[in-house]
Amino acid sequence: GAGVSQTPSNKVTEKGKYVELRCDPISGHTALYWYRQSLGQGPEFLIYFQGTGAADDSGLPNDRFFAVRPEGSVSTLKIQRTERGDSAVYLCASSPYQGGGVPYTDTQYFGPGTRLTVL
Amino acid sequence: GENVEQHPSTLSVQEGDSAVIKCTYSDSASNYFPWYKQELGKGPQLIIDIRSNVGEKKDQRIAVTLNKTAKHFSLHITETQPEDSAVYFCAASGTRSGGGADGLTFGKGTHLIIQP
């Protein structure tokens, strides 16, 4: 079946601009994660959604970063007043967690990422 | 919070030989340890994972071992092939009290090079 998709695949913007990055999770997956990967590093956790709510946003670096998932499927990561240091690959992952203590539903499946370049 | 250390950063092996990548973690509450393979320009792909209630898991040429007491886990790839060349990441996370998993904490990655 279809995997996690992310759009756009590449985004170039100027310092100070606003950007939105989109993630379409695997159909039926209720958990959705955003990560940021800088060159030569492992992905860093940003935020985790369970359904429509952000269950954990402790990884967001500052208040310029915000994410939403209004209908519990597609999610958008929003970055205001972009800075050159925001340049990275932004990865989205989804997981089939259904709640109710169902075991072993924590496997995260990643999308291809959006490469953001801030000039 | 969790801290995951991974080594080596680069590993070069002859085709057909075995490769071992090691990781340590700091949070004893972590109970889920996946390994991902990432090729250039692509997202991480899960290759194997292990949970804290088992010590070893194997899938064809790939195996993972976990030592909870020492807080370390390792990836073993046998009979390496050219297509195994990629960057490999280990990760760790805990399980929430109501189910589901925390965000993953990743190591810095190992660039595995298979020499023909």
Side-chain angles (χ1 to χ4, degrees):
Chain A
V4 177
S5 62
Q6 293 186 245
T7 54
S9 55
N10 280 283
K11 176 70 177 178
V12 181
T13 191
E14 294 180 344
K15 180 176 177 295
K17 299 290 188 181
Y18 167 82
V19 297
E20 289 189 352
L21 312 178
R22 176 188 168 108
C23 172
D24 280 87
I26 293 171
S27 178
H29 281 194
T30 59
L32 185 147
Y33 303 79
W34 283 98
Y35 294 83
R36 178 169 69 174
Q37 187 174 25
S38 300
L39 194 63
Q41 302 295 315
E44 290 180 282
F45 169 73
L46 295 176
I47 186 169
Y48 158 52
F49 286 92
Q50 185 55 253
T52 60
D56 183 355
D57 64 357
S58 61
L60 295 177
N62 52 59
D63 61 5
R64 296 187 297 106
F65 288 75
F66 189 70
V68 295
R69 195 185 185 201
E71 297 179 356
S73 54
V74 170
S75 177
T76 304
L77 179 66
K78 308 181 180 193
I79 310 174
Q80 298 177 320
R81 305 183 304 279
T82 51
E83 299 177 355
R84 292 193 180 88
D86 298 336
S87 296
V89 175
Y90 289 81
L91 294 163
C92 175
S94 71
S95 175
Y97 172 64
Q98 296 292 335
V102 176
Y104 304 159
T105 56
D106 45 11
T107 302
Q108 294 182 32
Y109 301 91
F110 281 80
T114 293
R115 180 174 297 280
L116 175 66
T117 303
V118 182
L119 301 177
Chain B
E2 176 67 279
N3 182 52
V4 176
E5 300 283 342
Q6 180 174 350
H7 58 94
S9 57
T10 304
L11 177 61
S12 181
V13 301
Q14 289 294 123
E15 182 179 351
D17 287 349
S18 295
V20 180
I21 302 170
K22 299 182 179 183
C23 289
T24 60
Y25 62 99
S26 61
D27 189 348
S28 57
S30 289
N31 57 11
Y32 175 60
F33 307 93
W35 286 87
Y36 286 87
K37 174 183 181 182
Q38 188 173 31
E39 296 174 325
L40 197 61
K42 297 185 177 181
Q45 177 190 5
L46 180 74
I47 56 171
I48 194 167
D49 57 12
I50 191 167
R51 291 172 177 84
S52 59
N53 57 346
V54 298
E56 183 174 359
K57 183 177 178 180
K58 188 173 182 180
D59 182 3
Q60 299 183 356
R61 296 186 297 110
I62 295 173
V64 57
T65 58
L66 171 65
N67 183 327
K68 285 168 43 182
T69 303
K71 296 200 193 72
H72 67 70
F73 55 114
S74 301
L75 177 71
H76 304 251
I77 306 174
T78 59
E79 301 170 13
T80 53
Q81 301 167 3
E83 54 265 36
D84 295 330
S85 294
V87 179
Y88 290 80
F89 291 97
C90 63
S93 76
T95 300
R96 295 172 168 272
S97 58
D102 290 331
L104 294 166
T105 300
F106 283 82
K108 292 191 174 185
T110 296
H111 186 193
L112 178 61
I113 302 166
I114 308 301
Q115 304 277 7

